[in-house]
Amino acid sequence: IPAVSKMRTELNRYQVAFTETAAENRQLKKKNKTLSASLDKATEGSVLKRLEDVKLRKDYEAALKTLDSIPPEVIRFYENRSTQESAMRHDK
């Protein structure tokens, strides 16, 4: 019966296509899992980097605040003292 033979051929083609699609789907799921893990790791690294940057910024601002609180005459005293010590070392 030609119609049954034709239907069987058609079903075989669909079976092959389904098998190939299922295999490709498994590969894509595996690749997706790998890429998701990479993205998670990169995101985690990015978050840690931003936290570190925030901490450094706060430390920097605290250092500036401390420097700003030092009276100018104290800074001049130590600048002069440093200049004098440097001159004394060059004289030796």
Side-chain angles (χ1 to χ4, degrees):
I1 303 173
V4 172
S5 180
K6 185 177 178 184
M7 187 182 296
R8 181 170 285 149
T9 303
E10 199 65 27
L11 285 173
N12 283 340
R13 273 194 291 186
Y14 287 136
Q15 181 63 37
V16 169
F18 175 78
T19 303
E20 289 173 356
T21 303
E24 184 180 356
N25 192 25
R26 282 191 299 276
Q27 289 176 336
L28 289 172
K29 282 183 179 181
K30 190 175 183 179
K31 187 173 184 178
N32 187 37
K33 189 175 182 179
T34 302
L35 290 173
S36 290
S38 291
L39 178 61
D40 289 345
K41 189 179 253 187
T43 301
E44 180 181 327
S46 177
V47 168
L48 292 175
K49 175 76 172 116
R50 280 185 279 168
L51 288 173
E52 184 180 324
D53 288 349
V54 167
K55 184 184 180 323
L56 287 173
R57 172 60 81 181
K58 285 183 180 179
D59 291 347
Y60 173 74
E61 289 171 0
L64 285 179
K65 200 176 209 180
T66 301
L67 286 173
D68 287 343
S69 70
I70 299 172
E73 58 273 7
V74 172
I75 293 174
R76 279 194 298 275
F77 172 79
Y78 281 101
E79 284 175 344
N80 290 336
R81 184 173 156 190
S82 175
T83 304
Q84 289 172 356
E85 288 175 358
S86 180
M88 289 174 67
R89 274 188 245 136
H90 287 292
D91 290 341
K92 289 185 180 183

